[in-house]
Amino acid sequence: MVNWEYSESVESQEIVNIKDKYQNFINGKFQQQNSKKYINTISPSTEEVLSKIVISNEKDVDNAVQSAQLGFEKWSNTSPHERSKHLFKLARLIQERSREFAVLESMDGGKPIKESRDFDLPQVAANFFYFAGWADKIDLSWGAKSLKPHGVVGQIIPWNFPLLMLAWKVAPALATGNTVVLKPAETTSLTALLFAELCEQAGLPDGVVNIITGDGTTGSLIVNHKDINKIAFTGSTQVGKLIQKSLAGRDVGLTLELGGKAANIVYEDAAIDQAVEGVVNGIFFNQGHVCCAGSRLLLQESIHDEFVAKLEKRMQTLRVGNPLDKNTDIGAINSKEQLNKIEGLVNEGVSDGGKIFQTECELPGNGFWFKPTLFTDVQPSYSIAREEIFGPVLTTLTFRTPQEAVEIANNTEYGLSAGVWTEKGSKILWTADRLQAGVVWANTFNKFDPSSPFGGYKESGFGREGGRQGLLSYLKAES
Ligand code: NAP
Ligand code: MG
């Protein structure tokens, strides 16, 4: 276990019971896999090895898909009312064990405990409750056709919200009668494996949820498996494009939740102090490892200097450090690889001519860390203004008129989210109408609710998760 200096504000790790190594969860139990290849999963805040997980091979993927096929025969014939009861049970168990899940999420992924405890876990439970409620209320008639579950769904998720992305995918899939083969990201598999234990505890029928660990090759084996009926993927635009190509010409459903480079637009009439808070939350939440992060700050020219001064002052108060400390605002960067990517883009921003501001905080010795960073004097052509950095780095651009704000905001290949800050309701509506983004927040940022659909435009993907739309993406119309 990690030896951070003792402090009353540090959450105890004793609550979690991490095994030395993990097997895949297939057909209702943890099973010996075919692959003998294990990798370490570490805590990014200390680099300490927490456990070992298997890199599943073709035979393991095949076993999981077969198990999900058998599971589907039972699950699709289980009454919607029974399916609902199972999902409610899972939701309640998540609530009961939420402290354990939160600590494990922060240890394995590096996010601050106050976020895993007060954001991720309540959202995870809320998603299961929400879709449990839908399970026996879905109207399966669709004109002359009827709606049917796809069958076996392959679900591939990223490392930034490991358990929450699982919940976004597993809950609607099960509510609609599908069964799943889920692969968590290789750096953050532990909460998905703990969720597998919960499926056992909840008495979910065997084969309904199958969780196999692995890297990109495992993900690709799931995508290319001949008996997969739908793929739901959250991750990078680059991998999303590969998946879409692999599925071309096959009758396999697909939803893609990909990257983003959201504009957070602050008009001169905005309540400046609230906007500063919202901008800080928009980019520094979860170390900026957020697909919908407000990573491009668009400031109206007249308030630029005042806003930047207030923002820098506020950034100095952000506490970077031990993810298990309840006072920590910014935890560890998820992996060495991600840290290298952030450092590379930031160096490019400096050499392109951007003016960099970084807070004066001290960073811990071990682990992967990056100081909260703000760029001003940025041209829209710089890579820091175009590429997704996926770290605690905010890039500022300026505009003169609302038309110009919208033009700059839409000048990106992405279209996942956006923020608008103004005291005028009509300006919010005018701007939101013109923004090409799946979600537009007004005078707030990063607000989520299971009933509200989430998803992208352009290269941020297609399909929606959450709400009725999210549910429908797990059903197909058949005559
Ligand atoms: P990633 O590299 O695309 O990986 C996502 C998942 O896909 C991981 O489980 C990964 O496995 C797996 N994978 C990698 N290569 C694959 C392949 N060829 N075929 C099938 N699966 C493959 O993305 P990431 O770096 O983990 O996550 C960050 C990205 O996710 C960012 O771009 C972010 O914007 C996006 N994201 C989007 C949303 C959204 O809702 N739109 C939400 C969160 C994150 P391994 O990690 O084990 O290699
Ligand atoms: Mg880890």
Side-chain angles (χ1 to χ4, degrees), residues 260-267 293-299 380 385-386 395-421 430-440 445 457-458 460:
K261 187 76 180 173
N264 208 354
I265 303 171
V266 186
Y267 286 114
S295 52
R296 283 184 302 151
L297 171 61
L298 267 59
L299 289 178
R386 314 195 68 82
T395 299
T396 312
L397 298 161
T398 55
F399 66 89
R400 289 200 183 119
T401 62
Q403 283 80 359
E404 204 190 344
V406 168
E407 245 168 65
I408 299 173
N410 288 339
N411 181 19
T412 165
E413 61 224 29
Y414 296 115
L416 194 55
S417 64
V420 185
W421 297 83
W430 185 93
T431 311
D433 238 15
R434 287 160 180 78
L435 289 173
Q436 294 160 350
V439 186
V440 179
F445 210 91
Y457 284 92
K458 302 196 281 187
S460 290

Side-chain angles (χ1 to χ4, degrees), residues 41-44 50 107-109 186-190 334:
T41 185
I42 65 166
S43 156
L50 298 175
M107 286 172 74
D108 198 21
E186 63 186 292
T187 58
T188 53
S189 294
L190 296 185
N334 185 265

Side-chain angles (χ1 to χ4, degrees), residues 262-267 269-271 274-279 281-282 292 294 416-433 435 437-448 452:
N264 208 354
I265 303 171
V266 186
Y267 286 114
D269 60 35
Q274 276 108 303
V276 167
E277 277 311 304
V279 165
N281 169 272
C292 52
L416 194 55
S417 64
V420 185
W421 297 83
T422 167
E423 289 290 83
K424 293 202 176 64
S426 57
K427 218 187 229 173
I428 292 173
L429 296 175
W430 185 93
T431 311
D433 238 15
L435 289 173
V439 186
V440 179
W441 284 293
N443 294 326
T444 186
F445 210 91
N446 280 334
K447 284 279 181 295
F448 297 90
S452 171

Side-chain angles (χ1 to χ4, degrees), residues 149-160:
H150 286 267
V152 177
V153 184
Q155 305 188 317
I156 300 168
I157 56 174
W159 42 260
N160 55 344

Side-chain angles (χ1 to χ4, degrees), residues 157 159-160 183 186 233-236 257-259 291 388 390:
I157 56 174
W159 42 260
N160 55 344
K183 188 200 87 65
E186 63 186 292
F233 173 80
T234 297
S236 60
E257 300 278 2
L258 308 175
C291 50
E388 187 182 42
F390 223 58

Side-chain angles (χ1 to χ4, degrees), residues 54 70 80 95 117 128 153 167-168 175 177 231 329 352 404 421 425:
V54 72
L70 291 174
Q95 282 187 320
R117 186 195 57 193
F128 276 94
V153 184
W168 278 24
I231 293 289
D329 297 306
D352 278 344
E404 204 190 344
W421 297 83

